Amino acid sequence: MNRDELFENYAWPPGRCLRTNFVYGLDASLAADGTSGHFSGPADNALLHHLRATADLVLVGASTAMAENYIGVRLPDDEAAARRRRGQGGPPPLAVLTSSGRIGSPDRFLRQTETGNYLVLTGDDPSARAAAEEALTRSAGTMTLLQAADLRGAIEQLYAAGHQRILCEGGPRVAAALAQAGLVDEMCVALSPATGGVGHPGTAPEAGHRYRPVFAGLVDDFVFTRWTAIKESTR
């Protein structure tokens, strides 16, 4: 299977969809030296860029954004051109999720961006709100603050803002919380041939949430899979 054939198996379903994307090591590791880069490869990176390019918004937890030294979403030239041809415009916005409002260093995502982004605060703690507002002053106007009582409310606000295709890139605890709340429609899971990292607690969906495999393929020694939620009722 070549990469174009791989990409064809990751078309977004119609309507609202929240999709998570992770790569695991062969020994079930998720990170090495605090990041997932150890487990990535050319095919995995290419798929990540394709998923970003076809999404309406990229969602990431603040801890992951800082650990992975995120900036605003940038796309390779070919994916950027394809996105413009589809009428999707520039890169999708980044939404950084936090319950504390505290954004430490590195914080490049606050300023280095080609598009407007979101800082998404959950909960009603006044000190968290104050911390989030302070972080926004460092963004030089590139970020908009959204606040909701919980994760479900935050995702509903992003959907209401017109972002129907949401790609969540982690971290593991954010993805687990979304799954436990029944908010994850699809999981994209890649198995890397690399080993030698560590796992994270709390990465599994709550018992009772089940997913059906809709694709599995082998590219460059990576096993790529896509799973869709089995839901008893529509949200």
Side-chain angles (χ1 to χ4, degrees):
M1 175 179 291
N2 62 40
R3 292 182 191 178
D4 288 339
E5 292 169 333
L6 175 67
F7 294 167
E8 289 174 1
N9 288 283
Y10 286 85
W12 290 80
R16 293 179 170 188
C17 180
L18 193 154
R19 169 185 278 181
T20 62
N21 183 53
F22 281 98
V23 59
Y24 288 84
L26 189 58
D27 56 358
S29 298
L30 269 170
D33 297 325
T35 73
S36 59
H38 173 73
F39 303 104
S40 295
D44 172 63
N45 278 324
L47 179 61
L48 171 64
H49 288 306
H50 180 72
L51 295 178
R52 285 179 160 194
T54 52
D56 294 327
L57 177 135
V58 175
L59 176 69
V60 65
S63 294
T64 296
M66 289 183 284
E68 301 270 1
N69 203 10
Y70 264 60
I71 62 173
V73 178
R74 292 181 181 174
L75 301 172
D77 290 345
D78 58 340
E79 289 287 7
R83 184 176 173 87
R84 288 192 295 270
R85 288 195 298 271
R86 292 190 297 268
Q88 291 182 276
L94 180 70
V96 178
L97 187 67
T98 176
S99 59
S100 71
R102 293 189 295 272
I103 303 299
S105 180
D107 60 0
R108 294 196 303 160
F109 61 85
L110 290 176
R111 295 175 299 277
Q112 295 186 32
T113 181
E114 298 176 15
T115 188
N117 299 315
Y118 299 98
L119 186 61
V120 183
L121 179 66
T122 58
D124 57 4
D125 182 354
S127 64
R129 174 79 186 201
E133 290 176 345
E134 185 280 326
L136 254 65
T137 67
R138 290 181 269 141
S139 77
T142 66
M143 300 197 82
T144 298
L145 179 62
L146 300 180
Q147 185 170 9
D150 54 21
L151 271 179
R152 183 175 295 278
I155 298 304
E156 287 296 332
Q157 285 195 40
L158 293 171
Y159 281 141
H163 308 298
Q164 302 296 289
R165 300 172 174 181
I166 298 177
L167 175 66
C168 175
E169 297 182 353
R173 289 182 179 84
V174 168
L178 289 167
Q180 288 164 5
L183 295 169
V184 175
D185 301 292
E186 290 195 353
M187 291 188 178
C188 302
V189 181
L191 183 63
S192 165
T195 60
V198 296
H200 284 274
T203 60
E206 187 178 68
H209 293 294
R210 295 178 58 84
Y211 293 79
R212 176 183 294 113
V214 294
F215 167 72
L218 179 66
V219 181
D220 296 347
D221 296 331
F222 280 72
V223 179
F224 293 93
T225 66
R226 177 182 162 210
W227 305 72
T228 187
I230 301 171
K231 298 190 178 181
E232 295 181 359
S233 61
T234 303
R235 285 201 307 274

